[in-house]
Amino acid sequence: MTKVMAVSDAVAQIPDGATVSVSSSSTLGCPDLVLKAIGDRFEAKGHPREITSLHPIAAGDVYGVKGMDYIAKDGLLKRVLAGSYPSGPSSVEMPEIWKMIVEDRVAAYNVPSGIMFDMHREAAAHRPGVLTHVGLETFVDPIRQGCAMNDKGAAEPIVDRVEFGGETWLHFPNIIPNVAVIRATTADEHGNLTYEHEGAYLGGLEQAICVRNNGGLVIAQVKRVTARGSLRPHDVRVPGHLVDCIVVDPDQKQTTETLYDPAISGEVMRPWDSFALADHGVEKVIARRAASELRCGMTANLGFGISAMVPRVLLEEGHPDAVTWAIEQGAVGGVPLSGFAFGCASNADAFVPSPQQFIYFQGAGFDISFLSFLEVDVEGNVNVSKLGKKPYLTAGCGGFVDITAKAKNIVFSGWFEAGAQIELAEDGIDIKAPGKFTKMVDEVEHVTFSGKRAREQGQNVLYVTERCVIQLTEMGLVATEIMLGVDPQEHIVGPSQGRVQVAENATLMSKSLLTDGPMGLEL
């Protein structure tokens, strides 16, 4: 008997009050057809009502794939927990889910992506929730916001601070999903799923096991259906006995603005010279200095923003595979992509399921992480997860908290001031006009990374800007390298109002960072 059915019939089985887990990362893996059908059924029938939705990484974007916006309706959505949320520039309209959050119409939480996957694993095995060090001293910790994004969220805490075995931990009691909505490329009639056109394995197996072990409903959206017995067992990522319903969407996008690119799913390998290099400019200068921290043979994690340019620096310098990149969606090796395709990689060595990738990150098996910052404070705390004035310009924490919890070496990249006018020359930078405000503040709006905990754990932390390289020390933020053309007092100490001091033995940053063309980087 086939499990293939109309999407309306599949979503009609979702009960009121359900807890629904969705496996995706923006458009990558997003089961958009099913989410739209849930919203449509609510509009037509008034059901399902009062659901809780779980999203380890964001579902949907602001560029045509609505994802969780389809279920962002009063009466339908009661509570939402997500590692990240759809985000975009101020030129696009605020997503509906963000309107609900800022207007306090839904209990909302930003939970680190790795912890979200951990929650599924623990609920599947009927263990008593997640016990973790990830998030201590950050906004995840109940001593701060406890993941809550608004008053409704704060009124219903989801995490406790506990003592166990002589240590302090964060405890997330189980929130048990009874519906999973996952996506694959191909299903056979029994429900076996393969992922040959997907750019990542985003926890679908873990979510399906969790829901099945708790007596729930698993809906799989796929691109196509084949006969039972025609799939190679080694290719099946989710076995059919875990799947209840199959819904077909032949037009599902591979990722944002990309219908299908075989290089993203590892079916073809691109020549190295087919990748665009980073444009010459201030951000490339920052990325070059960050790249200088690399050594041949390292495994490096990579985040969004300026940091995403670092692999392109290595390409330009003739070191395309000197470093193994590992990103949270699961790609290992190759070249992480940027722009709309961020979260994907071409020429990858492997695609590790995202939940397992986060285990690797939480245990700090990698050598170094390159991440970006919105603001840094005198304690070395970093905010990337909240902008009170324009909340949807940031997606939230994603995997940032999991990655930085124990990382041995972290390089944060960003502008020293927002909106400064800077010209590059071969012999230095010329700061034509100061920025609107410094990113070096007394206290960050949201603690996504704890400088205090980093110092306690002996983590090596750098903040790379166009003006200087700042080191986190016991004395606070200290600039140890100065860019050519920068006056330390006028351009660093003054604009930061003394929050960044300059080391007596500070050195000059290399002139080669400023060249238009390869800088001669040797790893």
Side-chain angles (χ1 to χ4, degrees):
M1 180 178 177
T2 182
K3 297 179 179 180
V4 181
M5 63 183 69
V7 65
S8 57
D9 293 334
V11 302
Q13 300 179 51
I14 300 175
D16 291 347
T19 296
V20 182
S21 179
V22 181
S23 172
S24 62
S25 174
S26 296
T27 302
L28 185 64
C30 185
D32 214 45
L33 185 71
V34 177
L35 293 171
K36 180 178 185 300
I38 295 172
D40 289 347
R41 183 168 184 266
F42 176 77
E43 290 292 338
K45 305 286 188 180
H47 301 285
R49 298 188 60 81
E50 302 292 300
I51 71 170
T52 293
S53 64
L54 309 178
H55 308 272
I57 315 178
D61 57 35
V62 295
Y63 304 101
V65 175
K66 292 181 67 173
M68 65 172 72
D69 256 21
Y70 281 122
I71 59 174
K73 301 177 186 290
D74 295 318
L76 194 170
L77 189 62
K78 177 183 178 182
R79 182 170 62 159
V80 57
L81 291 77
S84 53
Y85 289 81
S87 62
S90 56
S91 58
V92 300
E93 185 180 355
M94 182 185 292
E96 292 300 318
I97 186 65
W98 275 107
K99 292 177 185 177
M100 291 190 75
I101 292 169
V102 300
E103 294 168 9
D104 207 32
R105 291 155 45 207
V106 62
Y109 309 85
N110 186 199
V111 182
S113 294
I115 292 178
M116 291 287 293
F117 284 125
D118 293 341
M119 291 167 73
H120 287 79
R121 181 193 64 222
E122 299 305 291
H126 302 292
R127 291 189 287 260
V130 177
L131 197 64
T132 182
H133 286 137
V134 172
L136 281 168
E137 305 286 344
T138 74
F139 80 94
V140 176
D141 196 320
I143 65 170
R144 297 188 187 273
Q145 290 83 11
C147 297
M149 298 175 72
N150 55 15
D151 290 342
K152 275 187 179 291
E156 301 177 28
I158 61 167
V159 57
D160 304 308
R161 206 177 219 253
V162 300
E163 299 297 319
F164 178 77
E167 294 185 83
T168 300
W169 302 77
L170 299 183
H171 176 238
F172 289 81
N174 283 331
I175 297 174
I176 300 173
N178 54 0
V179 178
V181 182
I182 63 179
R183 196 185 96 174
T185 301
T186 306
D188 71 10
E189 296 162 299
H190 183 59
N192 295 304
L193 306 179
T194 59
Y195 283 66
E196 60 271 24
H197 290 178
E198 303 297 322
Y201 305 123
L202 295 166
L205 175 60
E206 288 74 12
Q207 288 162 291
I209 290 173
C210 179
V211 168
R212 171 61 70 241
N213 285 7
N214 287 285
L217 171 74
V218 177
I219 301 171
Q221 177 184 307
V222 298
K223 195 173 185 179
R224 58 197 183 186
V225 175
T226 189
R228 181 173 182 175
S230 61
L231 298 175
R232 292 181 67 249
H234 278 290
D235 294 338
V236 173
R237 289 284 173 166
V238 179
H241 72 286
L242 299 177
V243 177
D244 298 295
C245 309
I246 301 166
V247 171
V248 180
D249 179 9
D251 299 320
Q252 63 186 20
K253 289 183 178 180
Q254 191 179 44
T255 189
T256 299
E257 298 290 292
T258 302
L259 185 62
Y260 171 57
D261 177 356
I264 284 176
S265 45
E267 297 167 275
V268 300
M269 295 293 177
R270 291 172 53 180
W272 293 120
D273 61 8
S274 69
F275 294 93
L277 301 178
D279 293 333
H280 188 61
V282 172
E283 294 190 350
K284 183 176 181 178
V285 170
I286 296 171
R288 279 175 160 175
R289 176 57 189 85
S292 301
E293 293 296 311
L294 287 166
R295 303 291 179 267
C296 280
M298 278 185 166
T299 297
N301 163 259
L302 192 70
F304 192 61
I306 294 174
S307 296
M309 300 172 69
V310 176
R312 306 307 170 115
V313 170
L314 294 196
L315 283 173
E316 184 177 19
E317 299 298 323
H319 308 300
D321 52 2
V323 169
T324 298
W325 298 104
I327 57 178
E328 63 188 63
Q329 287 78 5
V332 176
V335 179
L337 302 181
S338 55
F340 286 135
F342 183 78
C344 305
S346 291
N347 298 4
D349 297 324
F351 295 113
V352 174
S354 192
Q356 278 67 58
Q357 189 82 302
F358 274 108
I359 292 172
Y360 174 64
F361 289 162
Q362 289 175 353
F366 54 95
D367 296 296
I368 191 168
S369 182
F370 295 93
L371 301 164
S372 300
F373 66 80
L374 292 175
E375 55 181 359
V376 180
D377 70 19
V378 292
E379 293 293 325
N381 299 322
V382 172
N383 174 25
V384 299
S385 49
K386 185 179 180 183
L387 282 172
K389 294 180 180 178
K390 295 182 178 179
Y392 71 102
L393 298 189
T394 173
C397 69
F400 188 101
V401 179
D402 303 281
I403 292 162
T404 58
K406 292 185 180 296
K408 296 180 283 290
N409 300 288
I410 307 172
V411 179
F412 294 113
S413 296
W415 289 68
F416 195 89
E417 289 184 299
Q421 295 180 27
I422 294 174
E423 289 187 2
L424 303 181
E426 289 190 358
D427 58 351
I429 68 171
D430 184 3
I431 302 173
K432 293 290 187 181
K436 299 175 183 176
F437 54 87
T438 180
K439 291 191 170 189
M440 306 297 156
V441 300
D442 275 330
E443 185 177 352
V444 293
E445 184 175 1
H446 219 217
V447 178
T448 331
F449 168 78
S450 169
K452 173 177 176 287
R453 186 155 176 81
R455 289 192 298 271
E456 291 172 350
Q457 297 186 128
Q459 293 170 278
N460 181 37
V461 182
L462 295 179
Y463 311 85
V464 178
T465 76
E466 79 286 356
R467 304 181 190 193
C468 58
V469 177
I470 303 165
Q471 190 159 21
L472 178 60
T473 74
E474 292 299 327
M475 302 300 293
L477 302 177
V478 178
T480 57
E481 298 176 35
I482 311 299
M483 177 55 75
L484 295 159
V486 169
D487 180 284
Q489 290 297 320
E490 182 181 354
H491 299 137
I492 296 172
V493 178
S496 72
Q497 297 179 22
R499 299 172 188 121
V500 179
Q501 294 298 312
V502 177
E504 292 184 1
N505 60 346
T507 60
L508 290 175
M509 297 169 72
S510 173
K511 185 186 295 186
S512 65
L513 299 172
L514 300 164
T515 60
D516 187 358
M519 62 179 285
L521 177 66
E522 294 293 337
L523 298 184

